[in-house]
Amino acid sequence: MKKTKNPVIQHDIMRYKKNKLGANLALLGLVFGCVYFVVLYAQVKNGDYYYNWSLAFDVIYNLFFLLFVFLFSEQVKNYDRKLFILQIIVGALQIARIFWLPLGGITHTYIVGETEQTVITIGTFITMTVALACSGALIIVSAITGYIRSKNVEKFTQELENGQINLDEELRKEQPAGGEANA
C-alpha cells in the first residue's frame, strides 16, 4: 500500500534539494540553440547569402546566448528568480529569430547556372525553425518552473519563520508507531 507524502515534508525537502527540472530545461534549450547555429553555420553553398553583417551579429548573439542560458540554469537550480524577466525575453528572442535568418534563407533566391534556388532547403529551414522554437519554449518553461518553485520555497520558508508551520511536529507524524525513524 502506497503511503501519501506529507506536503510539509515535501516543501522542506525542496529547501535542500536543487531545482534540477528547471535547470535541465534551460540546458536542453541551450542544446537546441546549439543545433540551430550548427545547422546555420553549415550553410556555405548558398551564393554567400549569409556572409554579411547579420551572420557576424548572430555569432556575437550566440556567445551571449550561451553564457546567459547557462547563468539562467544556475539561477533556476538555486531557486533564484532575479533573472526571470530576462530569461523570458531570451526565450522569446529565440522564437523571434525564426523570422530573421531562417525565414530570409527560405524566401531569398539566387541563380546557379540557369536555375534559381532558395538559399536554404525546406529541410534546413524546418530543422532551424524547430530548433529555435524548442529552444525558446524550453527556456520559457524553465523560467516559469523556476519562478513557481522559488515562490513555493520562499512561502514555505516564510511560514516556518513565522511559526505557522511546526516542522518538528510534522516529522513526528511521519515516524512509525514504534517511534523509530525509517532509514
Side-chain angles (χ1 to χ4, degrees), residues 15 74 92 95 125 168 180:
R15 292 189 314 152
E74 290 300 311
I95 294 169
F125 174 73
D168 292 332
E180 296 177 15

Side-chain angles (χ1 to χ4, degrees), residues 14-181:
M14 282 179 64
R15 292 189 314 152
Y16 302 102
K17 213 172 158 184
K18 300 288 185 186
N19 181 3
K20 290 181 184 177
L21 173 65
N24 288 338
L25 286 171
L27 291 176
L28 193 56
L30 184 88
V31 168
F32 277 104
C34 290
V35 167
Y36 159 74
F37 67 75
V38 164
V39 172
L40 174 68
Y41 299 162
Q43 305 307 309
V44 292
K45 297 177 182 173
N46 57 23
D48 293 337
Y49 175 76
Y50 286 122
Y51 294 122
N52 57 29
W53 67 269
S54 58
L55 189 65
F57 180 79
D58 194 66
V59 169
I60 294 167
Y61 176 84
N62 277 323
L63 291 173
F64 283 103
F65 168 78
L66 292 169
L67 291 170
F68 275 114
V69 174
F70 186 74
L71 176 64
F72 298 151
S73 170
E74 290 300 311
Q75 294 264 313
V76 168
K77 186 189 326 183
N78 295 309
Y79 300 104
D80 188 350
R81 62 181 183 272
K82 285 185 258 182
L83 297 177
F84 169 74
I85 298 297
L86 185 58
Q87 189 172 359
I88 295 287
I89 290 169
V90 168
L93 282 174
Q94 284 296 94
I95 294 169
R97 288 173 76 187
I98 294 169
F99 303 102
W100 186 32
L101 295 176
L103 187 63
I106 198 70
T107 58
H108 189 269
T109 59
Y110 68 102
I111 305 295
V112 176
E114 292 185 14
T115 61
E116 187 175 17
Q117 297 180 347
T118 58
V119 172
I120 59 174
T121 65
I122 190 71
T124 301
F125 174 73
I126 289 170
T127 302
M128 289 194 293
T129 301
V130 168
L132 283 172
C134 288
S135 175
L138 287 165
I139 291 168
I140 291 170
V141 170
S142 168
I144 293 168
T145 302
Y147 185 83
I148 291 169
R149 287 185 173 190
S150 70
K151 288 294 276 185
N152 288 342
V153 168
E154 181 182 284
K155 180 182 175 211
F156 180 77
T157 303
Q158 190 66 36
E159 288 173 349
L160 274 177
E161 290 173 359
N162 292 341
Q164 295 170 300
I165 295 175
N166 185 342
L167 197 55
D168 292 332
E169 183 179 311
E170 294 296 327
L171 288 170
R172 271 189 237 110
K173 288 180 190 176
E174 291 295 309
Q175 287 184 347
E180 296 177 15

